[in-house]
């Protein structure tokens, strides 16, 4: 990843976050294969090593990759939904890098991008037992609610209401 932003994780590790490019395709596949079944279940609601068909139709408006020593350790995407002005935010962070602030840093970058694109709301759909993602969304100011699907929550972040993110690094 070149020309990215440096992010220091809670354990002191420096990672570089940059926009996803077509050159990252194989590294993304490797990341999926390295992640635990639980991490894949939290991201895709299935433990399969490849993204499920229901997500392949969603076009990423903007995706970020986090690299450490030429190895991709995180992926964050802003996915355009059928609802005008609304995007879905999703993450996949390598298991040993979870809980260290990488998801938060990438979320803030995605929210700034969403605001710059004129979007009005960013949503995230998550399993109710995904405590890290719940904490992240609450910290960002999202309103969480259960969906019609059992055990599935949605977090909604109206972009006009999120003011602290513009100045946060």
């Amino acid at each position: 990843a070149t020309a990215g932003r440096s992010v220091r994780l809670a354990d002191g590790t420096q990672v570089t976050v940059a926009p996803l490019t077509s050159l990252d395709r194989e590294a993304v596949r490797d990341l999926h294969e390295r992640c635990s079944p639980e991490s894949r279940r939290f991201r895709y609601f299935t433990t399969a090593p490849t993204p499920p068909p229901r997500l392949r139709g969603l076009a990423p408006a903007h995706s970020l990759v986090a690299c450490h020593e030429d190895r991709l350790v995180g992926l964050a995407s802003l996915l355009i939904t059928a609802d005008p002005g609304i995007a879905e935010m999703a993450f996949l962070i390598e298991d040993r890098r979870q809980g260290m602030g990488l998801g938060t840093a990438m979320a803030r970058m995605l929210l700034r991008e969403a605001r710059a694109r004129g979007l009005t709301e960013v949503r995230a759909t998550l399993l109710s037992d995904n405590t890290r993602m719940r904490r992240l969304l609450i910290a960002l100011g999202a309103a969480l609610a259960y969906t019609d699907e059992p055990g599935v929550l949605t977090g909604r972040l109206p972009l006009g209401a999120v003011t602290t993110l513009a100045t946060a690094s």
Side-chain angles (χ1 to χ4, degrees):
T2 57
R5 287 189 51 186
S6 184
V7 174
R8 183 182 299 277
L9 304 185
D11 68 352
T13 303
Q14 287 285 137
V15 299
T16 302
V17 178
L20 175 77
T21 70
S22 58
L23 301 174
D24 296 318
R25 191 168 291 145
E26 209 165 296
V28 167
R29 192 169 33 250
D30 290 346
L31 172 65
H32 280 91
E33 290 170 1
R34 279 196 321 272
C35 284
S36 67
E38 181 181 60
S39 288
R40 290 194 301 257
R41 183 177 75 85
F42 283 156
R43 170 62 180 87
Y44 300 111
F45 303 179
T46 174
T47 58
T50 56
R54 74 175 178 87
L55 288 177
R56 289 185 202 129
L58 287 175
H62 187 67
S63 291
L64 298 169
V65 291
C67 296
H68 174 66
E69 295 176 351
D70 294 328
R71 180 165 151 153
L72 203 142
V73 298
L75 173 68
S77 298
L78 208 51
L79 307 164
I80 297 302
T81 68
D83 299 320
I86 297 173
E88 177 100 4
M89 183 167 60
F91 305 89
L92 185 65
I93 308 288
E94 186 178 66
D95 291 61
R96 63 195 195 105
R97 304 284 179 210
Q98 292 176 13
M100 295 190 196
L102 182 56
T104 301
M106 294 177 90
R108 287 181 170 145
M109 291 177 204
L110 285 181
L111 291 171
R112 278 196 292 272
E113 178 67 21
R115 193 176 283 112
R117 288 172 179 252
L119 298 175
T120 56
E121 183 176 277
V122 171
R123 293 181 185 162
T125 304
L126 61 148
L127 294 172
S128 58
D129 60 338
N130 188 344
T131 52
R132 281 199 171 114
M133 187 67 172
R134 285 173 74 149
R135 278 199 301 263
L136 169 63
L137 291 169
I138 289 166
L140 293 172
L144 297 181
Y146 278 93
T147 65
D148 294 338
E149 284 181 75
V152 178
L153 294 169
T154 186
R156 300 173 69 149
L157 278 158
L159 293 179
V162 184
T163 54
T164 58
L165 297 175
T167 55
S169 61

